Amino acid sequence: MNTVILSSTFLLTLLLAVGLFFFIRASVKDRTQQVKLIAQEPEESLVIRLQQYFDQRAYQVAAVDAATHQVTFQGFVRPSWLLAIFLTTLAAVGILCLSLVLSFLYPKLTSVFLALVLLAPAAGVFYWKKAGRSEQVSLQVEAIATPDTGTQSLLTVTAHRDELRELQQALNLKPSSESSTSH
């Protein structure tokens, strides 16, 4: 086979392997964000609904600061079996592709390169060990008066982006005009 084709295929496969490595590493990255949400209800009833919501999701109150109206909930986030299997499969396919290209370049070491596929479950184990962690949700509730609708509540939440999305859907909260920030 032409060495130019093999070397360019090797380079592209190597670049894909690097991308796969960073994709697997990013699967456990902290994606904490802070958003401001508006609720069309008074502060007291919103706090009760928030407490019920987080109780249902197996979070417990970790800290309460009455002076700033801030509550911190803590809960354990379990890793996903589906994502662990997906990452292991991706790693196996990526290592297999790299092994095939290397076996064309060095045919005598084909069995060694193909044996590297046995390292693929390390991606799933890496994800499993790092993704299962204790997570905190910090809430601050403020009452705001508006001339149109009466009393509303402004909720400032710092949590994982998936938890924020679930909270918005479950309690029908609307984003505030202020922007969200990542931590």
Side-chain angles (χ1 to χ4, degrees):
M1 198 176 254
N2 189 346
T3 55
V4 174
I5 293 172
L6 277 176
S7 51
S8 64
T9 303
F10 175 71
L11 178 65
L12 290 174
T13 306
L14 195 59
L15 289 173
L16 288 172
V18 169
L20 177 62
F21 170 77
F22 284 106
F23 181 77
I24 292 169
R25 207 177 91 186
S27 69
V28 295
K29 182 182 175 197
D30 183 30
R31 289 178 171 76
T32 302
Q33 294 179 331
Q34 183 179 51
V35 296
K36 294 185 182 279
L37 304 168
I38 299 287
Q40 302 295 333
E41 61 186 288
E43 182 180 356
E44 297 80 23
S45 64
L46 178 61
V47 169
I48 292 170
R49 286 193 339 140
L50 287 167
Q51 177 69 45
Q52 291 170 348
Y53 171 81
F54 285 109
D55 283 345
Q56 289 174 346
R57 296 193 49 92
Y59 280 84
Q60 281 110 29
V61 176
V64 176
D65 186 358
T68 61
H69 301 280
Q70 188 167 350
V71 179
T72 303
F73 292 91
Q74 188 165 357
F76 184 76
V77 177
R78 292 185 318 234
S80 164
W81 276 103
L82 185 63
L83 189 53
I85 293 168
F86 177 68
L87 290 174
T88 301
T89 305
L90 274 181
V93 170
I95 293 170
L96 180 64
C97 290
L98 184 61
S99 297
L100 290 174
V101 172
L102 287 172
S103 68
F104 276 117
L105 293 172
Y106 306 102
K108 292 181 181 180
L109 298 173
T110 299
S111 59
V112 173
F113 293 136
L114 292 177
L116 291 175
V117 175
L118 297 174
L119 296 174
V125 171
F126 169 78
Y127 164 76
W128 195 260
K129 286 186 175 184
K130 299 277 187 174
R133 63 183 176 271
S134 181
E135 202 162 288
Q136 289 190 341
V137 176
S138 178
L139 306 168
Q140 185 175 10
V141 182
E142 303 171 47
I144 53 175
T146 58
D148 308 343
T149 59
T151 304
Q152 291 181 336
S153 297
L154 176 65
L155 177 64
T156 305
V157 187
T158 304
H160 189 277
R161 68 179 181 188
D162 295 337
E163 190 63 51
L164 290 171
R165 187 174 37 251
E166 290 291 323
L167 177 67
Q168 278 183 275
Q169 289 176 351
L171 299 181
N172 196 25
L173 302 170
K174 304 294 179 216
S176 171
S177 58
E178 299 177 30
S179 64
S180 66
T181 59
S182 295
H183 291 274

